Amino acid sequence: MANIFKTSIGKKLIMSISGLFLIIFLCVHAGVNLLYLFGDEWFQKGCDFMSLGIVTAIVPVLALGFVVHIVWAFVLYYQNYKARGKERYAVATKTKTEDWASRNMIVLGLLVLIGLTLHLTDFWAHMQYKELIGHEAEKGPELMTATFGNVWVYILYIVWFIVLWFHLTHGFWSALHTIGFSNDKWIKRLKVIGILFATLLVAIFIAVATKGYMVANGCIGAC
């Protein structure tokens, strides 16, 4: 059984399954962040929910899948570089956007990782980490305005969200393609669903960051 993960298909399965962990991880955070658009009180309730024991236990598992995804991506990239091969999710027909994304997944993944590090520094370190070491977590709404109130930080996050969009539009359908949705009919459907999913997810993140920027700079009032 373990030998399957040494094959080309097995290596892709690890990338696909760990990539699905990333998608779930992002969905959880998008759902909580969405509450910010409905007001500070709603968002703080979402932050408090993330502090519950069961959620605190689940999130690290999803995050571990994300770490595996990142590490394995670089392992495959190094192996492919040495072999001068192309370890990709190959399909017959690709649009220019899909082809560009698939050829640059390692670069996109690296940029996603850099953005995640920035995000953990800005939010996780001031909330979940503080609770882990016995201190009181900072309030979510206050962190939103403190972080996105800086125009350069706001721009960096917007760039990161766009990079995330490209990564997800390819990664979503290719992950499901690898685990079995492989016929021509499903490929077309998954590509459309992947674009819609990535667009909705990134739109939520951009809307939340934009509200934080506008509140911090007095363009609109806090709810």
Side-chain angles (χ1 to χ4, degrees):
M1 180 68 179
N3 289 333
I4 189 174
F5 294 113
K6 297 180 181 179
T7 66
S8 176
I9 294 177
K11 292 174 182 177
K12 291 179 180 180
L13 278 173
I14 293 176
M15 284 297 293
S16 298
I17 295 172
S18 60
L20 292 175
F21 273 68
L22 167 60
I23 288 172
I24 296 172
F25 182 83
L26 290 171
C27 285
V28 170
H29 281 74
V32 174
N33 287 350
L34 181 63
L35 296 175
Y36 182 59
L37 300 179
F38 296 94
D40 289 357
E41 184 178 350
W42 280 98
F43 181 55
Q44 188 56 49
K45 287 181 179 179
C47 294
D48 294 339
F49 170 77
M50 293 295 289
S51 299
L52 296 178
I54 186 171
V55 179
T56 303
I58 292 174
V59 170
V61 175
L62 297 177
L64 178 61
F66 188 11
V67 171
V68 170
H69 186 73
I70 294 168
V71 172
W72 196 246
F74 282 102
V75 169
L76 288 183
Y77 180 79
Y78 176 71
Q79 291 177 348
N80 297 333
Y81 177 79
K82 287 181 64 177
R84 297 180 182 276
K86 292 184 178 180
E87 188 71 28
R88 303 193 188 279
Y89 303 97
V91 291
T93 304
K94 295 179 181 178
T95 66
K96 290 183 179 180
T97 300
E98 291 164 347
D99 184 58
W100 183 88
S102 65
R103 286 186 289 106
N104 293 279
M105 284 297 276
I106 190 67
V107 177
L108 292 172
L110 180 60
L111 293 174
V112 169
L113 176 59
I114 293 173
L116 178 65
T117 303
L118 174 66
H119 179 69
L120 291 176
T121 302
D122 290 333
F123 291 94
W124 182 82
H126 295 282
M127 299 177 75
Q128 287 88 348
Y129 178 70
K130 277 197 170 184
E131 290 183 335
L132 286 174
I133 61 175
H135 296 296
E136 184 178 355
E138 295 186 29
K139 298 298 182 181
E142 295 175 4
L143 279 176
M144 282 290 187
T145 53
T147 300
F148 296 120
N150 185 311
V151 64
W152 296 111
V153 173
Y154 170 71
I155 291 173
L156 280 176
Y157 268 95
I158 297 301
V159 171
W160 180 43
F161 296 146
I162 294 171
V163 168
L164 187 62
W165 184 88
F166 277 103
H167 193 78
L168 288 174
T169 51
H170 175 78
F172 180 89
W173 69 260
S174 62
L176 294 177
H177 169 259
T178 300
I179 63 176
F181 295 91
S182 55
N183 61 60
D184 292 339
K185 182 182 294 185
W186 270 107
I187 281 293
K188 294 176 181 178
R189 292 173 178 173
L190 290 176
K191 287 180 179 179
V192 173
I193 295 172
I195 291 174
L196 292 175
F197 168 78
T199 302
L200 176 61
L201 196 74
V202 170
I204 291 173
F205 289 138
I206 291 177
V208 167
T210 300
K211 179 184 175 181
Y213 173 79
M214 294 178 73
V215 170
N217 289 279
C219 301
I220 59 174
C223 299

